[in-house]
Amino acid sequence: MASSEAILQVFGSALFTKPDSAYSLGSFINYKKRNRSNAIRFPTTPTIRFENLKNKRFESFGCKCQNAESVSGFTAENENGTWFVDNAKEFIPIQETDANKLKKESEGLVSDIIEKEAWDLLRESIVHYCGSPIGTIAANDPTSSSVLNYDQVFIRDFIPSGIAFLLKEEYDIVRNFILHTLQLQSWEKTMDCHSPGQGLMPASFKVRTVPLEGDEKATEEVLDPDFGEAAIGRVAPVDSGLWWIILLRAYGKSSGDMSLVERIDVQTGIKMILKLCLADGFDMFPTLLVADGPCMIDRRMGIHGHPLEIQALFYSALMCAREMLAPEDGSADLIRALNNRLVALSFHIREYYWIDLKKLNEIYRYKTEEYSYDAVNKFNIYPDQIPPWLVEWMPNNGGYLIGNLQPAHMDFRFFSLGNFWSVVSSLVTFNQANAILDLIEAKWGDLVADMPFKICYPALEGQEWQIISGSDPKNTPWSYHNGGSWPTLLWQLTVACIKMDRPEIAARAVKIAEGRLAQDKWPEYYDTKRGRFIGKQSRLFQTWTIAGYLVSKLLLANPEKAKILMTDEDSELANAFSCLITSNPRKKRGPKSSQKTYIV
Ligand code: GLC
């Protein structure tokens, strides 16, 4: 897109969107449980926050007729980009270098305008509860006829919003979000008389205004959470609590306010999430066993079992929690369990999820049906499982973590978020992290192409799509969760690239996204192999698209700030890990009493 065209496209909207910057927050709100429902109520005067936005939005996009000169003094370039128009409207040929300079300046200007629009939209998406900002609505799309649950505050969707506010040093909304969702955690949640574990965090919540009991004229606001008991497919959001812990740490690091994490209720909240995740079960694997759709991919897509995204978030949350848990007698067992799990989990993922050309060749030559303690092919993977696409696709340099590992099953699909977050959290080794970025560069045309970033690669097609997705019409090949392109993933990519000191990769992706997002009205996702079309059922003005873009821009401008999200492997963990490697399973297993336990 020519830059002047972009100026025309976005300038009008940037002018007319109205920032809502007035946050004022006093002390925290007392909760009052309602007898009949699961909602938290608080008396208030009625307030309606969103109804006027739709008109505003139309107004803003209907008004694109600012002329370029009034913006910058530039005019549209000819194909060589070498014309400049002065105020007297005369065309003057100028030097190539000057033209480049101008082009850069105008690109910078366009970028600033898009960023300003994004901030305005992000502020418009803020949801208030009793006068205080507590989150952002998932999508604010005036063109969509069915809202479904996109008018709710999703925990996972709020993370990039929260980070954007932290980076702007606007801490209140994040603090409120953390405390309010914490209250929801201990809410009674049931489905058909069954309750999940107490530490479960909701997928989303909504602020409802309802008549005040006993006073027909007054209303009150209530928080109404959804733990999956109303969600499409009734999936429990395993990722919510993990993201909550990650955001809590980022809040402390960014604001310097450690009083929040030290609060007893917050400490209890962390422990409840950990207890739920660390509870003993039937599993032989240190990875977290979950049902299908427990995370960003919240519909059936064949990711049940031990999906990478959950493992990466789990590892990251354990690392963050370890930093935040107050040392006290009562939590010694929990901290021990946490440390043991960290070591076992990183070993398991680094060893068994990792794939590159060498490993692929090993799998190709695997012997099967090895009944022994020192089997090489522990999970009994039949080499015929290697999909034909992967044989061609795997680059000579680079590698990645596969999507899932189960007995006799490797899901070889590349899942972006899991790979990015494994880099960010140091779940993978330094070399593996670099190899993931090498693969992204080598496979740019497949993973990024016209819009960053594919949620997974490749798409399930034909019979595989029918069987695995249940013929889901939303998840047709190269759409939505099935190989669609999600701009929100930009921010996680950016943190991973900054961690590995390769920000130029993220900058390249941001530039591609910036060329389309505002013009396309900030879609939720894009379709087709190259991400050329706005997704079939994609919402517009999707908040985490907007926030993801902003976080990327802010972090690329200030890379050191990305530290609030990263965790580094510590030396004790690394030592324990190398012990595990040397005593590893390829050797004979000893009797239980001689087995080492790794307590860090
Ligand atoms: C879709 C996405 C999910 C997201 C939600 C709200 O269901 O799959 O990840 O949280 O929309 O945006």
Side-chain angles (χ1 to χ4, degrees), residues 138 150 154 156-157 295-296 298 480-481 486 524 542 544:
Y150 283 86
F154 276 74
R156 73 175 73 85
D157 293 40
C295 50
M296 178 182 182
D298 56 359
Y480 201 46
H481 301 142
W486 292 66
E524 180 186 14
Q542 181 81 17
W544 69 353

Side-chain angles (χ1 to χ4, degrees), residues 262-317:
E262 284 161 7
R263 279 173 59 141
I264 293 178
D265 54 348
V266 173
Q267 287 282 319
T268 308
I270 301 174
K271 286 182 203 158
M272 275 165 67
I273 297 169
L274 292 180
K275 278 185 187 152
L276 189 58
C277 294
L278 295 171
D280 289 334
F282 288 107
D283 234 357
M284 291 300 291
F285 297 175
T287 34
L288 213 53
L289 179 63
V290 294
D292 216 342
C295 50
M296 178 182 182
I297 296 180
D298 56 359
R299 295 162 83 94
R300 185 175 154 195
M301 267 300 289
I303 62 164
H304 53 278
H306 305 92
L308 178 65
E309 177 177 333
I310 289 293
Q311 313 315 325
L313 294 176
F314 180 33
Y315 185 82
S316 181

